[in-house]
Amino acid sequence: MSDYRIETKCIQSGWHPGNGESRVLPIYQSTTFKYGSTEEMGRLFDLEEEGYFYTRLQNPTNDAVAAKIADLEGGVAGILTSSGQAATFYAVFNICEAGDHVICTSAIYGGTLNLLGVTLKKLGIQCTFVDADASEEELEKAFLPNTKAVFAESISNPALVVLDIEKFARLAHRHGVPLLVDNTFATPVNCRPFEWGADIVTHSTTKYMDGHAVQVGGAIVDSGNFDWEAHREKFPGLTTPDESYHGIVYTQKFGKKAYITKITSQLQRDLGAVPSPMNSFLLNLGLESLPLRVERHCYNAGKAAEFLNSHPKVASVNYAGLPGDKYHELAKKYMPKGTCGVISFELKGGREPAVRFMDGLKMAAIVTHVADARTSVLHPASHTHRQLNDEQLKAAGISPGMIRLSVGIEHIEDIIADLSQALEQA
Ligand SMILES: *Cc1c(COP(=O)(O)O)cnc(C)c1O
């Protein structure tokens, strides 16, 4: 499979039916799977054989879609979770425990900021937030002896900071820890973090991958490149016997698939954030048209960004696709085909005109969502990042008047007409 181009993989990867089997990925809407003997099922429980027995651990529909996403990213193994939040949690918790420390960029999704900064702290895992644009020397200072992972977004939601992936990979590897990249906004169509040194990729599949706003889901993919054994003292969960699995050592038994196998057999078993097979089926339909949609999202967003940028009522526009944007050069390097369909911008006068503009939109809807076919808007300061104080907002790259516009795949002239009439009312 891996020689095909991404457009082909989006259609062909994951599900490979045999003779007489369903051409389309079937929905295995079943909790359980039948076996002929106690012995056969026992071997599955011991991880001695691969096979399905209970959907919380593995399900054929979920696995086919996970395999497709792993192929799109160029990884060796993948797993689906019930949300992007669960994917982030698993990706970090799989290699961190109480007493450990992670580093995360501060311009990051609001849910990730809370998860790493507040909730993981309650589990004894500390997080240091760093400025993605800081120099390597500055970033060095964030590393501690107990640092186990570095986490960042390829394009941050909603600040639209483009990550210098090579810089972060160098730093992480110098300290013997993996770089985890949330690639939700760029999607593997526009950016493949593994090609720049990232080790693990996470997704909220709720966004462009689904693209129709019909399911909440997440995914984790392992590049297979990080050498856990070379840093075995840092990652005992992977490199020493797992007592809950008869003393299996994941790196020894599963090699390059150790990290994902541990998530499946420990975290899914014990925490259970598993997607419904029906949702994975819907996600798979979205994946089939992902390259076409992403191309149109980027085209439309580029036009909308140009329109806003030249409008007298607009103070500033953030869109890395726009020449002159602070992140334009990084975007050209890491995502030469385009960035994403999300733009953030600020009206002159800040918060009040922003609210009037949003209330004046006729087609674009105010929703807590981004990255689907429909154009939508959100006011981060009063919605997704409502819990943050002004200082935290600033660190996350968000000002009180910032509007996040998710440009859909409607006709661009209809989108611009709607923006234009709402700006008149702002
Ligand atoms: C939405 C989002 C998440 C969280 O995903 P859910 O599917 O909503 O749980 C994580 N990261 C990014 C970049 C997101 O946009």
Side-chain angles (χ1 to χ4, degrees):
M1 259 306 148
S2 48
D3 286 345
Y4 285 135
R5 290 162 185 82
I6 198 137
E7 291 80 358
T8 309
K9 289 180 177 183
C10 279
I11 305 287
Q12 299 287 348
S13 290
W15 173 246
H16 305 290
N19 257 346
E21 282 186 337
S22 169
R23 180 65 193 97
V24 173
L25 172 66
I27 308 169
Y28 285 88
Q29 195 74 30
S30 178
T31 57
T32 45
F33 302 84
K34 179 183 166 292
Y35 286 89
S37 73
T38 335
E39 173 59 25
E40 282 169 289
M41 180 111 88
R43 282 203 293 273
L44 300 181
F45 270 96
D46 284 351
L47 303 183
E48 282 305 324
E49 253 169 55
E50 277 196 45
Y52 295 100
F53 52 105
Y54 192 55
T55 285
R56 170 149 45 74
L57 287 118
Q58 282 188 295
N59 170 282
T61 309
N62 295 348
D63 282 4
V65 182
K68 177 180 279 188
I69 294 175
D71 201 24
L72 297 181
E73 287 289 0
V76 295
I79 185 169
L80 299 188
T81 55
S82 57
S83 67
Q85 283 301 110
T88 309
F89 176 58
Y90 281 6
V92 173
F93 196 60
N94 200 38
I95 48 173
C96 293
E97 55 189 46
D100 288 343
H101 171 251
V102 296
I103 294 170
C104 180
T105 49
S106 54
I108 195 114
Y109 178 66
T112 307
L113 198 71
N114 280 318
L115 171 63
L116 300 187
V118 182
T119 300
L120 282 189
K121 200 196 265 176
K122 295 179 188 164
L123 296 176
I125 299 166
Q126 302 291 328
C127 182
T128 301
F129 291 98
V130 296
D131 178 357
D133 300 332
S135 68
E136 243 169 275
E137 296 69 46
E138 198 56 40
L139 292 166
E140 277 287 344
K141 295 179 194 155
F143 284 86
L144 301 172
N146 57 343
T147 302
K148 298 296 170 71
V150 178
F151 193 95
E153 287 169 8
S154 50
I155 311 178
S156 71
N157 173 10
L160 304 175
V161 170
V162 176
L163 187 74
D164 188 343
I165 305 174
E166 284 187 317
K167 176 175 79 177
F168 274 83
R170 250 192 328 269
L171 277 157
H173 296 161
R174 203 180 290 147
H175 293 270
V177 301
L179 172 62
L180 281 51
V181 172
D182 179 336
N183 198 30
T184 298
F185 264 27
T187 84
V189 172
N190 280 345
C191 178
R192 280 189 295 285
F194 295 157
E195 293 173 5
W196 306 101
D199 302 288
I200 309 287
V201 158
T202 63
H203 281 280
S204 165
T205 63
T206 317
K207 312 295 164 52
Y208 290 113
M209 281 192 168
D210 167 328
H212 303 78
V214 292
Q215 61 91 47
V216 171
I220 307 168
V221 180
D222 184 1
S223 66
N225 293 335
F226 192 82
D227 189 350
W228 309 103
E229 279 289 337
H231 308 282
R232 56 193 328 275
E233 73 295 343
K234 281 192 203 289
F235 305 104
L238 284 160
T239 59
T240 62
D242 176 1
E243 292 318 325
S244 75
Y245 258 119
H246 327 297
I248 278 177
V249 176
Y250 289 98
T251 44
Q252 282 169 16
K253 192 156 174 74
F254 300 103
K256 285 187 178 298
K257 294 189 173 172
Y259 175 88
I260 294 291
T261 306
K262 179 171 177 283
I263 294 181
T264 305
S265 54
Q266 261 183 11
L267 303 187
Q268 285 294 40
R269 180 195 61 189
D270 300 347
L271 301 167
V274 68
S276 129
M278 177 70 198
N279 277 4
S280 300
F281 173 82
L282 293 169
L283 168 59
N284 190 50
L285 287 184
L287 287 170
E288 292 187 359
S289 61
L290 183 66
L292 280 172
R293 288 185 291 103
V294 162
E295 190 180 320
R296 180 60 64 89
H297 278 291
C298 291
Y299 173 80
N300 282 355
K303 293 285 179 198
E306 280 171 25
F307 166 78
L308 290 168
N309 206 29
S310 59
H311 197 283
K313 289 193 178 175
V314 175
S316 62
V317 177
N318 293 323
Y319 185 64
L322 214 54
D325 186 87
K326 189 176 171 195
Y327 297 103
H328 190 61
E329 292 307 313
L330 279 177
K332 277 205 302 203
K333 173 175 173 179
Y334 291 110
M335 10 198 117
K337 288 199 281 185
T339 54
C340 64
V342 181
I343 299 171
S344 68
F345 66 100
E346 184 120 16
L347 296 185
K348 290 179 183 159
R351 197 186 269 258
E352 283 73 37
V355 171
R356 282 199 300 276
F357 163 80
M358 289 184 49
D359 291 343
L361 288 164
K362 292 196 171 113
M363 182 177 77
I366 300 174
V367 292
T368 307
H369 195 248
V370 281
D372 77 77
R374 284 156 284 264
T375 297
S376 60
V377 284
L378 182 92
H379 185 219
S382 43
H383 303 141
T384 46
H385 289 65
R386 205 183 174 87
Q387 287 86 357
L388 305 190
N389 61 35
D390 281 0
E391 204 173 297
Q392 288 170 315
L393 275 179
K394 197 160 164 267
I398 296 160
S399 57
M402 182 203 269
I403 296 165
R404 183 178 73 180
L405 173 69
S406 177
V407 182
I409 55 175
E410 302 96 343
H411 197 287
I412 184 58
E413 284 171 21
D414 293 329
I415 296 170
I416 288 179
D418 194 26
L419 298 176
S420 179
Q421 65 82 25
L423 279 167
E424 292 317 311
Q425 303 176 50

